[in-house]
Amino acid sequence: MTELVVNKLGYVRGNKQILDEVSFSIGKGELVVLLGANGAGKSSVLKCALEPKARVKGSVYLNGQPLDTLSPANRARLVAYLPQSRPVAWPVKVFDVVSLGRYAYGVRLGQLKGRDLALVEAAIVDCQLQHLRDRRIDTLSGGEAARVHCARAFAANADVLLADEPTASLDPKHQLGIMKLIRDYVDGGRGALVVAHEANLAARFADRLIWIRNGRIVADGSVDETMTENMVAEVYGVSSEISRIRGYHNVSIVDAL
Amino acid sequence: MRNAPLVLGLVTVSVTVLLAAILLGSTPLGLSAVINSLTGSGSPGDAVVLWEIRLPRALAAYVVGAVLGLSGAALQGLLRNPLAEPGILGVSATASLFATFTLYFGFSALSSLVLPLAAIAGALTATMFLALVAARINSVVTLILIGVGLSSFSGALMTLLMNLAPNPFSLSDMVNWMMGTVANRSFEDIAFAMPFLFVGAAMILLSGRDLSAFTLGEEAASGIGADLAKIRLKIVLGTGLCAGGAVAIAGTVGFVGIVAPHLVRPHVDHEPSATLVPSALLGGVILVLADIFIRLTPTTTELKLGVVAALVGAPVFVWIASQRMMGGNSYD
């Protein structure tokens, strides 16, 4: 069964066409990684999929229902969003940040109960944050903070997760950790679209890759089908050699083209 | 509720300082005289001092402090910056400007409603302007600078009106307004502003949950289901009504909206919705204490509340701003 269907997204900023006829779908239990160079339009895909006002054309459906007609809260119950920039304005506690994932269900911080509380607790356990739950967010390391934001997104218990570079500026171990968390979340019966820079990380965790260049999708398929040296050259503008390490595709960059 | 103990404590302190404000003053009024007057069995002279002078004055200071504390906490939550406040953002100055305008042209003499209504209209104009600007720029720091500019401009226009004042009486009226005071306020003055303050405070208090969502930044707040435009409008109207009502009662009194939430925040885990009620209570306490200080200070001309608030508040503002710089600026 298909869950999220994105249809012909178009987005223009100034005179520049940022997205052009971007169409794809994400099914249940599917982790799709969106790959592309800086400025290719990856983040815009997520923003325009979520926010009708952000795009100039296109439509988005979830389980056959148009997403645009939903109120922000109803949309948030179906699609969780983890933006690239994650500034926390006040030094609030980890538990409160994760609890905000239940905002769309009308929760008030400090007064969670029932299913809301259970889902927040479950997200905290899933993201291994038990020992940090009462810590102030400003005292965490980058890797810990990234897990908190994942937990916040997971707590919404939405059908689909849209995550914009959840592994940005993390070391390799934490990158693997975050991708594993998202993989487990998807394996629990949801879909996810994850924006990433790292092709190797994508190859390891994704069911499908969407390659985007100058606002257009150039390929959409499995890792085996699409992760080729030609694709890497077209999308990133670098020559590369692709080998297999323990069964996973591994891109070694040779030089800029 | 995590702020319950703090709220309870601040309610107790509020009652205590209000009582102190009634007991203290140039005419000695003992506890028994106060109780007698409150119950209507005291001497007529004591009753006048209590009902027409001290109680309205203390309540005016408390109400003004409370709505300014609440507005400050709400604007800080919305803009995610501890330096946001009706005074800093030019809301109070624009409210005062509109009020001064009615004084200058003598409209205020037409009806006692004109001046307070003008103050509220001024506050709403300023908050609407800020909301329009906020929708176009992404930097909160820039928005605050624009607010500071608005404040200076309204201040300049006010000085211009004073400069052109036709006679010393209207000049002194305007100066009094600009300096901010709760002296000689009657219950009617407070009662007139109350509906506006009530609606404004309700709009803010009902948005507590939304302010918590704004902690994550606007993009993530929208992602978790917050209706950004609606929330902005609610807070802007709420703070406009509160700040306008406060100016209608007392003229310009600044900095309470920065100091009160700043003191409250560490005690409620920095959680914006939990900051609202305690900031209101503490704002009220601060202004009542400031007003008691003014009344007991033996100066030949009585000090104005707005002057004392600024003398204390401005250095605190500088201190908070410099703390943020030194703290690595991680919460910009």
Side-chain angles (χ1 to χ4, degrees):
Chain A
M1 190 187 88
T2 305
E3 288 204 312
L4 185 77
V5 176
V6 171
N7 220 338
K8 297 189 174 174
L9 284 189
Y11 173 46
V12 179
R13 193 190 294 142
N15 290 325
K16 198 173 175 241
Q17 183 91 30
I18 306 287
L19 296 180
D20 189 13
E21 303 271 312
V22 170
S23 303
F24 60 89
S25 65
I26 297 164
K28 203 168 190 156
E30 207 176 19
L31 198 173
V32 180
V33 173
L34 189 58
L35 287 171
N38 289 333
K42 303 186 297 293
S43 298
S44 299
V45 171
L46 301 195
K47 281 178 197 159
C48 293
L50 274 172
E51 182 58 63
K53 276 183 231 147
R55 64 180 101 106
V56 283
K57 64 182 288 248
S59 50
V60 181
Y61 295 86
L62 191 83
N63 303 332
Q65 194 187 6
L67 209 58
D68 296 355
T69 55
L70 298 176
S71 70
N74 282 333
R75 186 206 60 220
R77 291 180 184 204
L78 300 172
V79 183
Y81 175 46
L82 187 57
Q84 188 178 354
S85 89
R86 302 184 272 270
V88 180
W90 310 105
V92 290
K93 288 188 172 176
V94 166
F95 185 82
D96 285 338
V97 174
V98 180
S99 301
L100 282 172
R102 303 297 298 164
Y103 172 87
Y105 292 85
V107 303
R108 286 169 192 285
L109 294 187
Q111 299 175 41
L112 270 75
K113 48 187 182 293
R115 186 174 151 78
D116 295 317
L117 183 60
L119 284 165
V120 168
E121 295 287 5
I124 284 177
V125 172
D126 288 345
C127 297
Q128 298 124 42
L129 295 166
Q130 296 97 315
H131 60 298
L132 300 173
R133 52 181 294 150
D134 289 324
R135 279 267 294 276
R136 279 167 50 158
I137 187 98
D138 60 327
T139 64
L140 304 186
S141 70
E144 289 166 342
R147 295 214 306 277
V148 172
H149 290 286
C150 274
R152 193 273 292 159
F154 293 171
N157 197 36
D159 289 343
V160 177
L161 169 69
L162 305 183
D164 197 350
E165 304 218 18
T167 58
S169 67
L170 293 183
D171 59 36
K173 186 180 169 186
H174 285 106
Q175 288 187 4
L176 285 172
I178 292 289
M179 288 307 286
K180 272 188 192 139
L181 290 177
I182 294 176
R183 182 74 251 180
D184 290 345
Y185 182 77
V186 170
D187 291 343
R190 288 93 159 196
L193 177 65
V194 177
V195 168
H197 263 301
E198 254 289 302
N200 292 339
L201 204 61
R204 185 170 175 143
F205 289 97
D207 296 305
R208 229 172 74 220
L209 301 177
I210 296 177
W211 300 75
I212 181 169
R213 177 171 178 260
N214 293 338
R216 299 186 78 103
I217 291 179
V218 290
D220 178 350
S222 69
V223 178
D224 281 338
E225 288 162 11
T226 63
M227 191 165 273
T228 62
E229 288 159 9
N230 284 340
M231 188 66 70
V232 172
E234 183 180 351
V235 166
Y236 290 103
V238 293
S239 59
S240 64
E241 281 174 19
I242 296 180
S243 56
R244 293 246 185 180
I245 294 178
R246 296 196 180 167
Y248 297 118
H249 286 67
N250 187 74
V251 181
S252 303
I253 307 300
V254 177
D255 204 354
L257 287 172
Chain B
M1 288 213 323
R2 79 185 74 201
N3 59 11
L6 184 63
V7 168
L8 226 66
L10 283 170
V11 167
T12 315
V13 176
S14 299
V15 172
T16 313
V17 295
L18 281 170
L19 207 61
I22 297 169
L23 288 170
L24 300 169
S26 51
T27 310
L29 209 58
L31 191 58
S32 59
V34 166
I35 292 169
N36 286 339
S37 297
L38 283 173
T39 53
S41 57
S43 78
D46 288 352
V48 167
V49 170
L50 183 78
W51 287 103
E52 312 218 342
I53 301 171
R54 287 197 194 160
L55 196 54
R57 179 172 181 157
L59 281 178
Y62 191 81
V63 167
V64 167
V67 295
L68 289 177
L70 184 67
S71 303
L75 283 174
Q76 287 154 26
L78 182 75
L79 300 175
R80 303 182 301 286
N81 190 303
L83 299 177
E85 189 246 10
I88 293 297
L89 291 173
V91 178
S92 303
T94 311
S96 285
L97 172 68
F98 277 45
T100 314
F101 195 78
T102 64
L103 287 170
Y104 179 84
F105 287 100
F107 298 147
S108 55
L110 298 175
S111 156
S112 57
L113 303 187
V114 169
L115 193 142
L117 278 178
I120 288 160
L124 286 175
T125 306
T127 39
M128 285 297 181
F129 168 76
L130 291 169
L132 284 175
V133 173
R136 277 169 181 73
I137 55 168
N138 288 319
S139 161
V140 173
V141 175
T142 309
L143 180 68
I144 288 176
L145 289 176
I146 288 172
V148 171
L150 176 65
S151 185
S152 303
F153 186 63
S154 293
L157 287 177
M158 213 144 54
T159 339
L160 175 69
L161 287 179
M162 290 197 250
N163 194 169
L164 300 174
N167 57 61
F169 300 109
S170 62
L171 178 64
S172 110
D173 266 357
M174 288 190 257
V175 169
N176 275 338
W177 202 259
M178 204 173 119
M179 290 201 284
T181 175
V182 285
N184 309 318
R185 292 298 178 270
S186 66
F187 279 124
E188 287 90 81
D189 293 327
I190 305 173
F192 181 77
M194 275 323 266
F196 299 98
L197 298 179
F198 185 80
V199 172
M203 288 173 98
I204 293 172
L205 290 171
L206 291 175
S207 311
R209 217 172 72 74
D210 306 321
L211 293 175
S212 308
F214 268 66
T215 302
L216 299 176
E218 296 199 353
E219 200 181 1
S222 167
I224 60 173
D227 192 334
L228 301 185
K230 210 159 125 188
I231 295 166
R232 275 196 212 106
L233 187 68
K234 267 198 297 187
I235 299 294
V236 159
L237 283 176
T239 51
L241 289 171
C242 282
V247 171
I249 294 176
T252 324
V253 179
F255 297 103
V256 190
I258 288 183
V259 176
H262 185 74
L263 293 174
V264 164
R265 225 173 262 121
H267 304 285
V268 293
D269 299 334
H270 297 266
E271 208 276 279
S273 68
T275 311
L276 295 176
V277 173
S279 296
L281 296 170
L282 184 60
V285 168
I286 289 173
L287 277 200
V288 172
L289 285 176
D291 197 48
I292 292 175
F293 168 79
I294 286 166
R295 285 167 42 213
L296 296 184
T297 308
T299 44
T300 43
T301 312
E302 192 181 80
L303 296 173
K304 300 286 188 216
L305 187 57
V307 176
V308 173
L311 281 174
V312 178
V316 176
F317 173 85
V318 172
W319 181 68
I320 296 172
S322 60
Q323 287 271 309
R324 285 164 62 75
M325 298 273 268
M326 286 183 275
N329 232 358
S330 56
Y331 285 97
D332 255 351

